[in-house]
Every structure is written in structure tokens, then in C-alpha cells.
Amino acid sequence: MRRYSGNMNGERYLGNTNTTEVHDLDNEQTNCQIDEIIKAGHDKPFNSLDAAHSAGYDNCAYCLGGSTR
């Protein structure tokens, strides 16, 4: 579910600045803990998955898969 709180403005991808993982909010899973990331102020919005990868973010194993960690 897309968010409009914290730094999010309805973008599909949320980067966690604490873990450098990127999450797909259109495929959010319970284990992603998106609300907790936003509450902690670790949310960084991305318009595309490529932009997140270019910024050094790795896929979340739960909502995106293919994590390299």
C-alpha cells in the first residue's frame, strides 16, 4: 500500500536508509515493516527500482526477492 506520510509521496518504492534495502509498496509483505521504517525516519522514496539500485539499495527478500545479502 502506497504511503503519503513521512518522506513518502505515493511513490512505489521505499528505501530503508538504515539497512539500504528497497521495498515495493505494491507488493508489501508483513515482514517488510514499512510503517516502522517510516516512523523511525528511515524512509527514502524512489520512483523506480533502477533508481534505488543505482543509489546502492538491495532488494528486500520479502516483497521483491533476489536480495544479494
Side-chain angles (χ1 to χ4, degrees):
M1 174 178 74
R2 302 215 188 173
R3 307 292 200 291
Y4 293 88
S5 58
N7 295 312
M8 301 306 293
N9 234 359
E11 290 87 357
R12 178 174 178 174
Y13 299 100
L14 177 147
N16 181 340
T17 60
N18 191 45
T19 63
T20 63
E21 283 184 323
V22 62
H23 300 271
D24 180 352
L25 298 185
D26 286 354
N27 188 38
E28 179 181 340
Q29 305 298 310
T30 305
N31 290 344
C32 295
Q33 301 181 344
I34 300 300
D35 290 329
E36 288 79 1
I37 294 168
I38 293 171
K39 285 178 189 173
H42 297 301
D43 53 316
K44 179 174 178 62
F46 289 102
N47 291 320
S48 71
L49 191 54
D50 285 339
H53 289 160
S54 292
Y57 284 75
D58 186 31
N59 289 358
C60 168
Y62 302 107
C63 62
L64 284 167
S67 173
T68 59
R69 295 175 191 210

